[in-house]
Amino acid sequence: MLLLFLLLSPQGCSARYDPTWESLDSRPLPTWFDEVKFGIFIHWGVFSVPSFGSEWFWWYWQKEKRQPYVQFMETNYPPGFSYEDFGPLFTAEFFDANQWADILKASGAKYVVLTSKHHEGFTLWGSKYSWNWNAVNVGPKRDIVAELATSIRTRTDLHFGLYHSLFEWFNPLFLYDASNVFKTRQFPTAKSLPELYEIVMKYQPEILWSDGDGNAPDTYWNSTGFLAWLYNDSPVRDTVVTNDRWGVGSICKHGGYYTCSDRYNPGHLLPHKWENCMTIDKWSWGYRRNTQLSDYLTIEELVKQLVETVSCGGNLLMNIGPTHDGRIDVIFQERLRQMGDWLRVNGEAIYGTKPWRTQNDTVTPGVWYTFKPKEETVYAIFLNWPISGTLVLGDPKTIIGETQVKLIGHKGQLKWVSLGEKGMTVAVPQLTPNQLPCQWGWTLQLTNV
């Protein structure tokens, strides 16, 4: 009977967490997150309509009055045109959630994070707390979050996550609270917190990517109270992963995994799980119509980011910005499919790995290590193919007669020579460009080192 009770009990024997950082930070990160390593970020919203400069368009135009943004509006829109007037132009007529899911799956990513609401306050679901400023009432007249969640879950094995901005630049309730130095809490009580509970109950995201504290402390946002509910009583309490952006002072200090800053890539091991969230377009998270080809990171640069990040214990969250009419631009599609091609060959050196005792080689630049403890396999990922035909690895210590070296995607063992305490030299096969296992970074599988 006791076993039956535990099986039927919604909590079983799960730990309960108090609404304090000390208690919440003691929660173990669900194991799936460290295993997957690679996700796709999607920044989409009303800012995708002007698609000029940045997803911070409204702020730069109306608050900071930056000249390029003011000039853009004066040249292209009638006098009196407001940011809200962009809402009906966010049409999403080409948005096909199944097509998006297929593109994301082809990238080799194992999770996706969609901006359910950015700092502009427009929600991509029909929130009852965002009247007439949501995708069901204005623009697409569709529940974008529901459509993508369904397609991701039925067509892929990706974990579905949602980004949510705590503050909103121009919401009168937030501005009122800010004018009171956040001694009043009208905005989180009436808007931000109800939205968070709404998206968790309605869409059950496995990642909740918080952002935008508006220079307010976590006590103003009641972040610890919300997270205690999320970890204790929500429908995703056992699987959900959160980040560290829950109020001033919490970043890189409290929450689930650490993001520390945008495009964070420390290049060394951290004691806490972290994520490098970065953009394929070097200058913007949202789509920009006026990009040049040189504004986009190349596949070589993206593979380098992934390898460096995973070697140092992080996950890579790589951002794309769809167009206002719902297309993933061809340049983004190409980068995603290229990453998928690379991972199909080299994925065993990425997924489910742990950091090794050293992250990058001490002798040869551009060589990064990962490790699978159960298999006792070390992976050396090298980003430059050696013209000399040999690759010197300063860190692996060989065992004569036992150490084996393979090039992933190529048949047969590779020959090597021990350098004693100074590592080893590996003879890489002489291959034509067409015979290479892939085009942008290669992996040696080392066993018994």
Side-chain angles (χ1 to χ4, degrees):
M1 285 297 290
L2 178 61
L3 179 63
L4 184 64
F5 170 77
L6 290 173
L7 289 172
L8 293 175
S9 164
Q11 286 301 314
C13 294
S14 300
R16 298 283 295 178
Y17 298 96
D18 299 324
T20 64
W21 284 124
E22 184 181 15
S23 177
L24 296 167
D25 290 346
S26 73
R27 176 184 183 251
L29 197 70
T31 54
W32 71 262
F33 185 74
D34 181 53
E35 291 166 1
V36 296
K37 305 299 184 190
F38 177 45
I40 303 297
F41 216 166
I42 303 175
H43 272 65
W44 201 30
V46 172
F47 51 79
S48 308
V49 178
S51 48
F52 174 86
S54 165
E55 71 290 344
W56 278 60
F57 182 93
W58 194 2
W59 181 263
Y60 293 154
W61 167 41
Q62 293 283 19
K63 182 68 177 176
E64 295 190 3
K65 302 191 185 322
R66 294 189 184 186
Q67 192 53 38
Y69 294 81
V70 173
Q71 186 69 49
F72 174 82
M73 290 305 298
E74 287 177 354
T75 304
N76 297 293
Y77 294 90
F81 190 97
S82 70
Y83 190 81
E84 288 86 346
D85 292 330
F86 283 123
L89 304 178
F90 178 52
T91 46
E93 66 265 36
F94 296 125
F95 171 58
D96 180 340
N98 287 341
Q99 183 191 44
W100 280 28
D102 294 346
I103 292 168
L104 294 169
K105 183 179 180 179
S107 75
K110 299 299 181 188
Y111 64 103
V112 59
V113 179
L114 172 70
T115 52
S116 70
K117 183 194 81 171
H118 201 258
H119 312 323
E120 64 189 13
F122 187 90
T123 67
L124 295 189
W125 79 99
S127 177
K128 53 189 174 193
Y129 306 102
S130 191
W131 182 79
N132 220 30
W133 192 233
N134 68 74
V136 174
N137 296 144
V138 179
K141 306 288 176 72
R142 296 160 68 178
D143 187 331
I144 301 294
V145 175
E147 288 186 39
L148 188 61
T150 299
S151 292
I152 289 292
R153 286 167 173 156
T154 55
R155 298 175 77 91
T156 80
D157 62 353
L158 275 76
H159 298 263
F160 182 73
L162 290 173
Y163 164 108
H164 176 269
S165 173
L166 292 171
F167 90 128
E168 297 171 18
W169 288 314
F170 300 111
N171 189 296
L173 294 179
F174 177 74
L175 296 177
Y176 173 79
D177 288 345
S179 71
N180 293 325
V181 204
F182 305 117
K183 296 290 188 282
T184 53
R185 297 185 59 250
Q186 288 195 15
F187 179 73
T189 305
K191 185 75 161 66
S192 205
L193 283 165
E195 281 176 346
L196 280 169
Y197 287 107
E198 188 178 35
I199 56 175
V200 171
M201 293 306 294
K202 203 167 182 181
Y203 306 109
Q204 305 194 7
E206 289 184 87
I207 299 168
L208 204 51
W209 215 101
S210 183
D211 191 28
D213 58 38
N215 296 319
D218 65 83
T219 48
Y220 169 77
W221 298 112
N222 191 26
S223 296
T224 55
F226 170 75
L227 289 171
W229 170 81
L230 186 71
Y231 295 168
N232 291 330
D233 301 309
S234 80
V236 289
R237 59 187 171 269
D238 296 326
T239 55
V240 73
V241 171
T242 61
N243 67 345
D244 56 350
R245 302 186 182 195
W246 295 99
V248 167
S250 75
I251 195 166
C252 223
K253 187 175 178 184
H254 295 303
Y257 62 83
Y258 294 168
T259 63
C260 299
S261 67
D262 291 351
R263 303 179 179 85
Y264 182 68
N265 187 10
H268 59 81
L269 198 58
L270 295 185
H272 192 92
K273 183 64 191 180
W274 60 281
E275 180 184 70
N276 172 6
C277 62
M278 46 72 71
T279 57
I280 298 176
D281 173 355
K282 298 173 197 172
W283 311 112
S284 176
W285 298 80
Y287 178 70
R288 295 188 302 140
R289 285 179 288 164
N290 59 329
T291 49
Q292 305 299 310
L293 185 60
S294 60
D295 292 340
Y296 296 102
L297 293 177
T298 64
I299 184 59
E300 290 87 351
E301 290 170 316
L302 294 172
V303 167
K304 182 173 184 280
Q305 286 272 328
L306 177 66
V307 170
E308 290 176 355
T309 299
V310 173
S311 292
C312 296
N315 279 19
L316 186 73
L317 185 61
M318 189 171 86
N319 179 75
I320 59 171
T323 61
H324 80 280
D325 52 12
R327 292 173 294 113
I328 296 176
D329 205 30
V330 171
I331 187 84
F332 290 129
Q333 289 192 41
E334 182 184 51
R335 292 292 181 272
L336 294 179
R337 292 185 184 279
Q338 286 173 325
M339 197 66 115
D341 290 343
W342 190 84
L343 282 163
R344 263 190 293 283
V345 176
N346 301 282
E348 71 170 272
I350 300 293
Y351 306 125
T353 59
K354 300 288 182 189
W356 196 39
R357 57 177 169 81
T358 182
Q359 279 58 69
N360 55 321
D361 197 70
T362 48
V363 174
T364 303
V367 177
W368 294 83
Y369 293 103
T370 61
F371 180 50
K372 283 192 173 164
K374 281 185 185 173
E375 294 84 350
E376 296 187 351
T377 301
V378 174
Y379 298 97
I381 307 168
F382 56 106
L383 301 173
N384 306 301
W385 189 268
I387 299 168
S388 66
T390 60
L391 185 67
V392 177
L393 301 177
D395 293 283
K397 305 295 182 273
T398 58
I399 305 167
I400 301 296
E402 291 187 32
T403 297
Q404 293 188 331
V405 183
K406 277 184 68 178
L407 176 67
I408 291 182
H410 179 73
K411 290 178 182 176
Q413 303 285 333
L414 302 190
K415 293 179 179 175
W416 57 270
V417 175
S418 173
L419 301 175
E421 288 300 305
K422 294 182 179 178
M424 66 194 297
T425 300
V426 178
V428 297
Q430 299 299 305
L431 303 174
T432 65
N434 288 340
Q435 291 173 322
L436 289 169
C438 54
Q439 300 300 311
W440 326 283
W442 304 269
T443 304
L444 295 180
Q445 181 197 71
L446 311 172
T447 49
N448 298 317
V449 292

